Amino acid sequence: MPDFMAETAVSKMKIAVLSGKGGTGKTLVSVNLAAVAGHSTYIDCDVEEPNGHLFFKPDIAREELISVKIPQVDEKQCIGCRSCVRFCNYNALAYVNKKLIIFDDVCHSCGGCVLVCPKSALSERDKLVGKIKIGVSGDVNVYTGVMNTGEATGIPIINRLLEEGSAEEHGLTFIDCPPGSACIVMESIKDADYCVLVAEPTLFGAHNLNMVFELVKLFDKPTGVVLNKCLNEDNPVEQFCLDKSLEILGRIPFDHELASLNSNAEIVVNKKEKYRELFIGLLETIVDRVENGAASHKPNMVHGKVAADDQEGHRMELEQVCGEKVYGKVTANDQKGHNAEQEKTCGDNVFVESSEFHRELEGACSERDHTSNEMEGSAK
Amino acid sequence: MKIAIPVDNNLMESNVCASFGRAPFFLVYDTETKEAAFVENTAASGTGGAGIRAAQIVADQGVGALLTPRCGQNAADVFRSADIKLYRTNTDSLKDNIEAFVKGELPLLEDFHAGFHGRNRGQ
């Protein structure tokens, strides 16, 4: 196993794992990457539904309540000048019937209203919005944010989580982001050195991947894609990645056993050697890309080979070689009716190659529903 | 009594706007003098809290009632504090709604939807 504990710049890198929608496998990927990295830090920023702790089952060493500042008015002091109402960019204040109304849910805790009040009629009070939990699971430091139900935003919790998570340097950091591409995701990735985008092999998956890809581009983050629930059939996400020159870091097969283990809140790399090999390979690729930064955006990356020939009916060959290990090789020929070949080898351990796997896939194809098949869903 | 209605355009022929907080204009109509004025809703283009600011704008017109197809909870809170009654419009036509209101045929609006602000989880 590679030594990620070595005191190099890479060992302190922060890797964010995100996706355009929930249930694609962010937690599967980030939990298992942290687990194979050994001496590492796992931060669950999905504060609305944190579930990484279900896998790590950490011993909680410390909890901290998170509150935000909300204005309150002293009605005896208020002269109704509306300076605060005009100032608030979020329209969290209204003044009617000689009374100031404050909307806690709309307030962004900027404190501006308190500053502009000429009569010091406004002050701030604490409003509890959630908590963070800091714990240890084996060699992994586990940070979990929990937002109180009904709160409008988890951003204050995420900020505190990332602050705490960075305070103690403990190997590579894996940030399990909230789904989507809203403010809470931007907050989660702002300090990340590398973004891993997890996507499902569907048209819908490609659409959601595009949303989140647009976001990481905006932040100018080096990025790669992990394809989850891969089948031996056309994957619209593969084409999307080709079109956008996005590197595919690895492919996780649609695998009943993996899904079942994951649904039972097991860390799959601790259960099966083949999964450990898969995630070690993925981690090695990511660490390499973090080290070599800019190379990650190029389709003709050092460790991989991509060739596409449109004239022959989108004949596509993808080969990714990392070190001496062949991670994936896919040949798809659209004209010949989705004739595809998949071969994955990790070290000595043949991962996806057997006809048994293909039979499993065929069975799975007929009954599966991409949207309801959420590997991490049942663990939530 | 002065009343307000969210409208799509600043014309008496305009339709009632489907949204309250994001309506481009409000008709302010005096049922006694039959005077009509259109007030621009500067909250319509805001990023958040449009309902609250729109309610502030309407309340500042000194109206006693708002006729609207729907209304958010935050705006409804402002109207309650301002003692402004809310009525549910029953057609798209401004004139028909004003007539129905004057005859006392419009029902009170009593169910309000939750705000949408900050709830976009992106799923």
Side-chain angles (χ1 to χ4, degrees):
Chain A
M1 191 178 140
D3 183 13
F4 295 107
M5 292 166 67
E7 280 302 310
T8 64
V10 172
S11 71
K12 292 170 186 129
M13 291 283 180
K14 296 189 176 96
I15 296 148
V17 180
L18 52 165
S19 73
K21 67 178 265 293
T24 49
K26 284 180 303 300
T27 300
L28 169 78
V29 170
S30 45
V31 163
N32 285 281
L33 283 176
V36 289
H39 184 76
S40 65
T41 300
Y42 168 84
I43 304 178
D44 198 345
C45 285
D46 191 2
V47 298
E48 291 181 32
E49 298 177 83
N51 59 352
H53 66 98
L54 298 174
F55 297 89
F56 281 116
K57 305 165 185 74
D59 294 323
I60 303 298
R62 189 158 70 83
E63 280 193 14
E64 183 185 317
L65 296 175
I66 307 295
S67 56
V68 295
K69 299 284 185 197
I70 297 289
Q72 57 186 0
V73 63
D74 178 352
E75 288 180 0
K76 288 190 209 102
Q77 303 293 320
C78 179
I79 54 167
C81 71
R82 300 191 185 195
S83 297
C84 55
V85 175
R86 279 192 301 275
F87 178 83
C88 185
N89 219 10
Y90 303 103
N91 301 323
L93 300 148
Y95 187 84
V96 290
N97 256 356
K98 298 185 176 173
K99 217 177 156 210
L100 186 69
I101 313 171
I102 299 164
F103 290 88
D104 293 2
D105 282 355
V106 184
C107 176
H108 282 54
S109 305
C110 76
C113 53
V114 177
L115 292 176
V116 300
C117 180
K119 292 288 171 187
S120 302
L122 287 168
S123 57
E124 286 179 312
R125 66 178 172 88
D126 284 331
K127 179 194 169 202
L128 216 56
V129 292
K131 63 182 167 187
I132 61 170
K133 297 183 196 178
I134 301 167
V136 180
S137 171
D139 226 359
V140 183
N141 283 2
V142 179
Y143 295 77
T144 305
V146 187
M147 187 175 86
N148 290 349
T149 307
E151 286 303 328
T153 174
I155 285 174
I157 303 164
I158 290 171
N159 280 336
R160 189 75 190 107
L161 258 186
L162 294 173
E163 217 175 273
E164 276 290 326
S166 309
E168 190 188 342
E169 277 176 5
H170 189 81
L172 283 168
T173 297
F174 297 91
I175 303 168
D176 192 354
C177 295
S181 49
C183 304
I184 42 173
V185 181
M186 297 186 215
E187 214 59 39
S188 305
I189 66 166
K190 66 182 179 196
D191 295 327
D193 298 296
Y194 192 86
C195 289
V196 176
L197 314 182
V198 186
E200 286 178 343
T202 62
L203 210 53
F204 189 40
H207 172 265
N208 287 319
L209 175 62
N210 186 35
M211 279 168 51
V212 79
F213 175 54
E214 292 290 324
L215 177 74
V216 296
K217 266 201 311 198
L218 210 64
F219 280 74
D220 207 21
K221 301 280 183 192
T223 304
V225 175
V226 171
L227 302 181
N228 192 16
K229 309 175 199 177
C230 288
L231 283 166
N232 197 6
E233 62 182 31
D234 264 8
N235 182 347
V237 182
E238 298 257 3
Q239 190 57 47
F240 174 85
C241 293
L242 266 179
D243 293 345
K244 301 282 178 183
S245 302
L246 252 175
E247 184 189 359
I248 296 169
L249 302 163
R251 295 170 178 80
I252 302 168
F254 181 76
D255 179 333
H256 284 176
E257 189 185 9
L258 187 148
S260 169
L261 284 170
N262 196 59
S263 296
N264 289 316
E266 298 286 1
I267 299 175
V268 297
V269 298
N270 295 343
K271 288 285 156 185
K272 284 265 173 178
E273 189 55 28
K274 63 176 181 179
Y275 301 136
R276 171 164 286 271
E277 296 286 353
L278 173 75
F279 278 96
I280 285 176
L282 186 57
L283 181 61
E284 282 178 339
T285 309
I286 293 168
V287 167
D288 177 74
R289 299 308 184 267
V290 173
E291 272 178 323
N292 300 311
S296 62
H297 245 37
K298 305 277 194 296
N300 298 318
M301 57 270 183
V302 190
H303 296 281
K305 192 180 99 185
V306 177
D309 189 337
D310 280 10
Q311 284 189 319
E312 283 185 19
H314 308 298
R315 190 171 186 285
M316 190 173 74
E317 216 180 271
L318 261 171
E319 206 180 304
Q320 243 178 291
V321 188
C322 298
E324 289 173 36
K325 297 172 182 174
V326 178
Y327 283 102
K329 186 179 164 187
V330 177
T331 313
N333 189 330
D334 283 0
Q335 284 191 321
K336 286 187 181 174
H338 314 303
N339 170 28
E341 209 181 272
Q342 215 175 18
E343 206 180 298
K344 288 195 189 190
T345 328
C346 295
D348 299 336
N349 194 337
V350 177
F351 181 57
V352 181
E353 181 261 348
S354 66
S355 54
E356 194 183 301
F357 179 72
H358 284 253
R359 274 200 305 279
E360 258 182 54
L361 282 185
E362 276 163 25
C365 280
S366 54
E367 58 181 32
R368 82 196 280 267
D369 172 358
H370 282 300
T371 50
S372 66
N373 165 34
E374 298 192 351
M375 286 190 174
E376 63 177 13
S378 52
K380 277 193 173 175
Chain B
M1 183 200 240
K2 274 167 87 174
I3 60 170
I5 308 177
V7 288
D8 287 332
N9 291 294
N10 52 354
L11 302 163
M12 282 308 282
E13 291 72 34
S14 167
N15 278 345
V16 174
C17 183
S19 163
F20 165 70
R22 303 282 174 183
F25 300 96
F26 295 113
L27 164 70
V28 177
Y29 184 81
D30 192 319
T31 53
E32 276 125 51
T33 65
K34 309 233 180 337
E35 263 180 275
F38 290 91
V39 179
E40 193 186 346
N41 178 16
T42 51
S45 57
T47 50
I52 298 167
R53 179 141 297 184
Q56 176 82 64
I57 292 166
V58 168
D60 288 347
Q61 298 301 315
V63 303
L66 173 77
L67 282 50
T68 182
R70 59 179 63 81
C71 180
Q73 187 60 56
N74 289 339
D77 289 348
V78 175
F79 288 126
R80 198 184 53 231
S81 294
D83 295 324
I84 295 170
K85 284 206 162 58
L86 271 58
Y87 295 87
R88 189 193 297 279
T89 55
N90 54 15
T91 67
D92 284 343
S93 156
L94 278 187
K95 287 172 185 165
D96 291 355
N97 280 299
I98 292 169
E99 242 171 68
F101 172 75
V102 171
K103 286 185 194 162
E105 288 170 0
L106 285 190
L108 281 171
L109 178 65
E110 279 161 332
D111 53 320
F112 309 110
H113 61 79
F116 300 115
H117 34 78
R119 304 267 153 77
N120 50 335
R121 204 165 178 238
Q123 286 195 78

